[in-house]
Amino acid sequence: MAEIAARFEITERQVRRDLVAVEEAGYVLDRTIDDTGRARVRIADIRPGTIQLGVRERFTLLAVRRVFDVLRGTAFFEDVESIYDKLAGALPEAEQKDLQMLGGRFVFLPDRGTKDYRRKADVLDGLLTGIMYRRVVRYSYRASGAPAVRGGEMAPYALALYRNGIYVVADRPEPEAADRKTPPFSPTVYAVERFQKAECLRGRTFEVPKTFGVEDYFEGAFGVTRGGPRRRVVVDFRPEAAEAVTARAWHRSQKLTRRPGGGVRISFEVDDLNEILSWVLSWGPLAVVREPPELVARATAELRAAAAAYRSG
């Protein structure tokens, strides 16, 4: 004890307190007396079931837990909360107190218009079960702007989380042998909040095509919408927006070019223009679409309609 205290310029009492803290953290200490009569201490093992997390790891655990607050009321939130509680409960008492203290040092601010899934617990349960166990799901769904609910059977491949919303990528189940003339359907993205019903069917399973990969599926998307041929989009931004535009990665295929006067041009290849349009319009007069002509026309029409609405009061 005296040698350790002298080496680190602390008191022997502090050494003893530190050794107690080490044991409380889950380490097994081997205390012996050497031939000269001096006490020796070494870490012999870690107690079974003890979880060791550094300060940064504890902070990261808390951050991950907070991000899922936007999904409160869903099975995702309940599962993440359960995992968090189990991990936090397995920590030594001192580390649990540190975790509580760190709670005031991280906040996740969700995107505007966070969706409420509290009334979709059964729907999410059916979709999750279908995805995890590859079971066919019978569903009913009302698409955006659709006058009526439609339904049928689907093979749910994967889930996607986008702007605090949950989406499922699903296809039509493989037709039976007697129905091989039915043309295959390509996977489609469904918004979970628009499902009226989703229940797994007993004894009905499906196989995900080997050619399907969820990340590859969204390769050309600007968000979650897909469809149509891949097109080149070009948008010019005024100098006032240049820093904000260049500070983010908007798409995997994006290319940035500095323009005279301090502006910036961004281009990328996408297969759907709907979310590109809303993104461009969100920049107001700071962004001007150059390509493709269809997007230029749609943006122009939207801005004229908005200006007319303001003029009419």
Side-chain angles (χ1 to χ4, degrees):
M1 296 290 182
E3 183 180 345
I4 295 176
R7 180 176 179 182
F8 293 99
E9 298 182 351
I10 58 177
T11 65
E12 291 187 37
R13 180 180 297 178
Q14 181 64 53
V15 173
R16 286 191 288 270
R17 283 201 299 264
D18 290 343
L19 291 176
V20 170
V22 170
E23 288 182 308
E24 289 179 347
Y27 292 96
V28 178
L29 300 182
D30 183 14
R31 303 169 185 265
T32 59
I33 303 296
D34 66 14
D35 296 339
T36 65
R38 291 184 299 183
R40 299 282 184 180
V41 180
R42 70 180 184 88
I43 297 176
D45 202 352
I46 299 177
R47 287 198 299 271
T50 300
I51 296 177
Q52 301 295 319
L53 295 179
V55 175
R56 284 186 56 177
E57 291 174 320
R58 295 198 294 274
F59 190 72
T60 301
L61 173 63
L62 176 69
V64 171
R65 160 66 180 76
R66 286 290 174 83
V67 168
F68 277 82
D69 281 349
V70 296
L71 299 181
R72 188 178 295 274
T74 70
F76 284 111
F77 176 84
E78 294 171 0
D79 289 344
V80 170
E81 189 173 46
S82 175
I83 294 169
Y84 175 86
D85 289 343
K86 289 175 181 178
L87 288 173
L91 294 173
E93 184 177 350
E95 293 188 14
Q96 291 186 39
K97 292 180 180 179
D98 285 346
L99 198 59
Q100 294 174 1
M101 177 266 297
L102 291 172
R105 303 185 185 182
F106 181 90
V107 62
F108 174 70
L109 301 176
D111 196 9
R112 299 182 300 273
T114 300
K115 299 179 180 181
D116 186 354
Y117 292 103
R118 286 176 291 184
R119 292 181 294 177
K120 298 295 181 179
D122 291 341
V123 166
L124 264 172
D125 182 66
L127 293 172
L128 282 172
T129 302
I131 289 170
M132 290 187 296
Y133 299 104
R134 300 303 188 213
R135 290 173 60 182
V136 174
V137 171
R138 180 180 290 127
Y139 73 98
S140 57
Y141 185 87
R142 185 190 295 274
S144 177
V149 174
R150 64 183 176 87
E153 296 179 358
M154 65 166 52
Y157 290 170
L159 285 180
L161 180 62
Y162 175 64
R163 298 182 69 176
N164 307 326
I166 308 174
Y167 299 83
V168 61
V169 182
D171 203 348
R172 176 174 173 169
E174 184 71 16
E176 300 295 335
D179 192 29
R180 290 298 181 184
K181 294 182 180 180
T182 303
F185 281 67
S186 60
T188 304
V189 179
Y190 299 83
V192 167
E193 73 274 10
R194 297 189 178 279
F195 281 91
Q196 309 297 308
K197 179 181 68 174
E199 57 182 1
C200 286
L201 300 180
R202 292 182 177 275
R204 293 285 306 282
T205 60
F206 65 88
E207 295 291 333
V208 178
K210 295 181 179 180
T211 55
F212 175 83
V214 68
E215 291 187 2
D216 294 336
Y217 177 77
F218 287 109
E219 175 67 30
F222 193 85
V224 293
T225 56
R226 295 180 70 255
R230 195 72 60 91
R231 283 166 286 186
R232 183 172 184 261
V233 171
V234 179
V235 183
D236 286 343
F237 289 88
R238 293 177 58 85
E240 302 94 299
E243 183 176 354
V245 172
T246 57
R248 292 192 180 190
W250 301 99
H251 195 265
R252 292 182 182 180
S253 66
Q254 76 177 39
K255 294 180 180 179
L256 292 168
T257 306
R258 294 287 181 177
R259 303 186 70 237
V264 65
R265 169 170 289 184
I266 187 171
S267 64
F268 29 67
E269 303 283 335
V270 297
D271 56 11
D272 185 271
L273 299 179
N274 291 320
E275 292 196 56
I276 287 282
L277 176 62
S278 61
W279 176 70
V280 169
L281 294 176
S282 71
W283 292 92
L286 298 179
V288 178
V289 180
R290 299 303 184 191
E291 297 181 31
E294 176 190 347
L295 186 58
V296 174
R298 290 178 61 181
T300 302
E302 289 281 348
L303 291 171
R304 285 176 177 169
Y310 276 100
R311 286 195 298 268
S312 65

